[in-house]
């Protein structure tokens, strides 16, 4: 089969790889209908994370089940499925508490590289969710978004305890930040402030439900948020970047007693305990337990309530994956969808 391999920073190739097979009795193999490049993939592409290549890449996927192991009982061949980037049994105590990305038996699905024609999914019964029917082409992109960015944006809003009538600020205008705008709206926020400098992303944020746009960053961005909220700050701030500046901006934009949901993978982020102590701001984040939200998100896609697939503003054949990485790295694209 054909699959994407990262050899070194900036060096993405599509190569022949072994087609995955069922290895454990709880595995499934899916034929990928669509996959994509994630913003977190760029940390490796840019060399910020060490790359010990060549390594298969990608952790977002939707597709049709080709084969299942003998102990898989809920997932059937022929079903169209969406799954999380972490495999989980969905039965351990952590899973039952809603944190499948901390499953006691978790496995990183992306270890096998999901930017490929076929993917092996461990713990298939607990990881995959079958769509109610074979989706129309119009639904494919949104269902793919649910496998990571929509689920991650949703978790940011849940972690920050977004409530009906609340004021929410979103730090980050990538695919996760834009999805977080959708989540905040769906959870009933009255005012949603998207922090963005890019006109195309601002337009999409407004389409998704943002009521205000703040273009400033850092201290200026914080000051603008405070000015808009009577000098107090937002009830909830969703941090969707993972840099020190983004985290500081999120913390300082939150009112005393408010919450920050942080889902950007932290890079060199440090928080002083004394500063947090006196701020009265609560923090919750981590790898999003996408599996917990998938049934609800899939239903919202099929019923037309949400359309997160609009974050994909570049669609390419799998063979042109390198262009997808380049376009996202150069901010010419929000998110690149790849079709095997």
């Amino acid at each position: 089969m054909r699959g994407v391999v990262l050899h070194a920073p900036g060096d993405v190739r599509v190569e022949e790889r072994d087609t995955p097979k069922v290895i454990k009795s709880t595995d499934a193999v899916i034929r990928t209908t669509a996959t994509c490049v994630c913003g977190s993939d760029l940390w490796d592409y840019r060399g910020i994370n060490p790359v010990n290549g060549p390594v298969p890449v990608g952790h977002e996927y939707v597709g049709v089940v080709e084969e299942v192991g003998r102990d898989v009982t809920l997932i059937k061949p022929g079903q169209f499925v969406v799954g999380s980037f972490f495999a989980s049994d969905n039965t351990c105590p952590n899973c039952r508490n809603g944190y499948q990305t901390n499953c006691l038996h978790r496995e990183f699905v992306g270890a096998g590289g999901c930017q490929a024609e076929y993917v092996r999914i461990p713990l298939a019964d607990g990881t995959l969710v079958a769509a109610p029917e074979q989706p129309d082409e119009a639904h494919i992109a949104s269902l793919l978004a649910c496998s990571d960015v929509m689920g991650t944006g949703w978790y940011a809003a849940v972690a920050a305890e977004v409530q009906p009538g609340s004021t929410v600020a979103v730090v980050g205008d990538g695919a996760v930040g834009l999805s977080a705008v959708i989540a905040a709206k769906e959870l009933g926020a009255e005012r949603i402030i998207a922090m963005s400098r890019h006109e195309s992303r601002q337009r999409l944020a407004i389409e998704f439900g943002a009521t205000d746009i703040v273009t400033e960053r850092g201290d200026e961005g914080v000051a603008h948020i405070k000015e808009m909220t009577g000098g107090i700050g937002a009830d909830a701030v969703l941090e969707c970047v993972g840099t020190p500046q983004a985290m500081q901006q999120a913390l300082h934009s939150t009112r005393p007693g408010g919450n920050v949901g942080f889902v950007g993978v932290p890079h060199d982020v440090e928080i002083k305990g004394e500063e947090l102590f006196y701020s009265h701001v609560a923090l919750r984040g981590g790898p999003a337990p996408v599996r917990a939200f998938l049934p609800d998100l899939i239903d919202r896609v099929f019923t037309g309530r949400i359309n997160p697939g609009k974050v994909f503003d570049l669609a390419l054949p799998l063979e042109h994956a390198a262009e997808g990485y380049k376009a996202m790295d150069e901010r010419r694209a929000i998110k690149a969808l790849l079709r095997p």
Side-chain angles (χ1 to χ4, degrees), residues 20 91 168-169 178 199 212-213 265 276 284-285 294 298-299 331:
T91 60
V168 178
L178 292 167
E199 289 187 7
D212 302 271
I213 300 293
V265 180
L276 188 61
R284 175 174 282 122
L294 274 178
I298 290 170
D299 180 69
R331 298 187 74 84

Side-chain angles (χ1 to χ4, degrees), residues 167-168 181 189-194 205-206 209-213 228:
T167 294
V168 178
V181 171
E190 181 176 325
R191 192 176 193 185
I192 303 170
I193 305 165
I206 290 170
T211 57
D212 302 271
I213 300 293
M228 298 169 72

Side-chain angles (χ1 to χ4, degrees), residues 120-156:
R120 181 181 75 89
I121 309 297
L123 302 171
D125 275 343
T127 304
L128 298 173
V129 177
E133 59 190 50
Q134 292 293 326
D136 296 333
E137 181 65 26
H139 286 144
I140 296 293
S142 285
L143 292 171
L144 178 59
C146 291
S147 76
D148 184 352
V149 292
M150 186 63 241
T152 297
W154 195 273
Y155 176 57

